[in-house]
Amino acid sequence: DAKTTQPTSMDCAEGRAANLPCNHSTISGNEYVYWYRQIHSQGPQYIIHGLKNNETNEMASLIITEDRKSSTLILPHATLRDTAVYYCIVRVANAGGTSYGKLTFGQGTILTVHP
Amino acid sequence: DAGVTQSPTHLIKTRGQQVTLRCSPISGHKSVSWYQQVLGQGPQFIFQYYEKEERGRGNFPDRFSARQFPNYSSELNVNALLLGDSALYLCASSLYISYNSPLHFGNGTRLTVT
């Protein structure tokens, strides 16, 4: 499985941009990068995903390097409600097609947004 | 639109008992996946079902089983409960069976085995 490396924790001031890095140096050409976050006692929340190009939605932007070995999730204006564990996941494809439902969660980055 | 709904939200069982957890996917979603999240760890994949058929299975013992109904809702069954089965059980649904189709999670069922 393509593995990801994320910092254990990060801090961000409210109203500032939060930039969360992720390394995935063993990613294969057809594997997507997904970002989820989990607030205590809730299920993981889908944020954004991408393959090669940068992506943006109402929640965040995803910047993927040209060699696809790393990516950055950007929350443009962090609020206190963005405090959560952020997971960067490479969605691994297998030949048998039996991994469509499988996301391999690592330890994630604990993002703390402070006033 | 309603998201993924799971029931019950909390459950307490005794060792050796059996438990059934329920999941309703987002309307229009045909795929359901189940995950177990032990305290302090990330979720771990248990099963995926699509069109009522099992499409993927994680590294869990045969005590864990699931099924999907014609309306795409799903049940997860765990037999002969162990203390180590205490966890948050998460259900996720997706629109397509594709790596480009995000999984959307419910808020889970918190199972405590005593």
Side-chain angles (χ1 to χ4, degrees):
Chain A
D1 287 1
K3 293 187 174 148
T4 61
T5 304
Q6 300 178 251
T8 302
S9 63
M10 294 182 65
D11 288 333
C12 179
E14 189 175 22
R16 304 296 293 269
N19 296 282
L20 289 84
C22 179
N23 287 321
H24 31 78
S25 58
T26 60
I27 194 170
S28 297
N30 63 345
E31 294 173 342
Y32 288 82
V33 178
Y34 276 77
W35 283 83
Y36 283 80
R37 71 182 182 184
Q38 188 171 25
I39 297 168
H40 184 62
S41 297
Q42 295 182 20
Q45 179 187 21
Y46 166 75
I47 303 173
I48 199 168
H49 75 285
L51 184 62
K52 296 178 183 178
N53 300 319
N54 298 337
E55 303 287 345
T56 296
N57 63 20
E58 65 279 3
M59 289 183 66
S61 294
L62 174 61
I63 308 299
I64 302 174
T65 58
E66 193 169 343
D67 63 8
R68 302 187 71 238
K69 292 184 177 182
S70 66
S71 61
T72 301
L73 178 74
I74 301 172
L75 307 178
H77 305 285
T79 70
L80 299 179
R81 288 176 295 179
D82 291 323
T83 294
V85 179
Y86 286 77
Y87 294 101
C88 169
I89 298 165
V90 170
R91 198 164 177 188
V92 177
N94 70 1
T98 58
S99 66
Y100 290 113
K102 181 178 180 181
L103 297 173
T104 301
F105 289 80
Q107 293 302 308
T109 296
I110 301 171
L111 174 68
T112 303
V113 181
H114 51 85
Chain B
D1 282 349
V4 175
T5 57
Q6 294 186 241
S7 62
T9 54
H10 295 81
L11 201 53
I12 300 174
K13 290 285 189 177
T14 304
R15 270 183 306 175
Q17 286 187 318
Q18 175 263 343
V19 68
T20 299
L21 311 179
R22 296 176 176 82
C23 171
S24 293
I26 293 171
S27 177
H29 286 198
K30 298 182 178 181
S31 175
V32 168
S33 299
W34 286 95
Y35 284 74
Q36 180 196 64
Q37 185 172 23
V38 174
L39 198 61
Q41 298 182 17
Q44 282 200 303
F45 172 69
I46 308 175
F47 287 112
Q48 187 198 24
Y49 276 76
Y50 179 72
E51 294 282 10
K52 297 177 290 179
E53 292 188 1
E54 181 183 306
R55 292 298 190 100
R57 171 187 284 256
N59 188 23
F60 279 81
D62 292 343
R63 298 185 297 107
F64 290 77
S65 63
R67 57 179 175 169
Q68 187 177 33
F69 299 98
N71 66 353
Y72 305 111
S73 67
S74 178
E75 288 183 350
L76 175 71
N77 295 285
V78 186
N79 293 322
L81 285 167
L82 304 174
L83 295 179
D85 294 331
S86 294
L88 180 67
Y89 288 85
L90 297 159
C91 174
S93 73
S94 62
L95 185 57
Y96 303 113
I97 189 164
S98 161
Y99 298 113
N100 193 24
S101 185
L103 272 62
H104 297 275
F105 286 82
N107 283 328
T109 294
R110 172 73 61 187
L111 173 65
T112 302
V113 182
T114 62

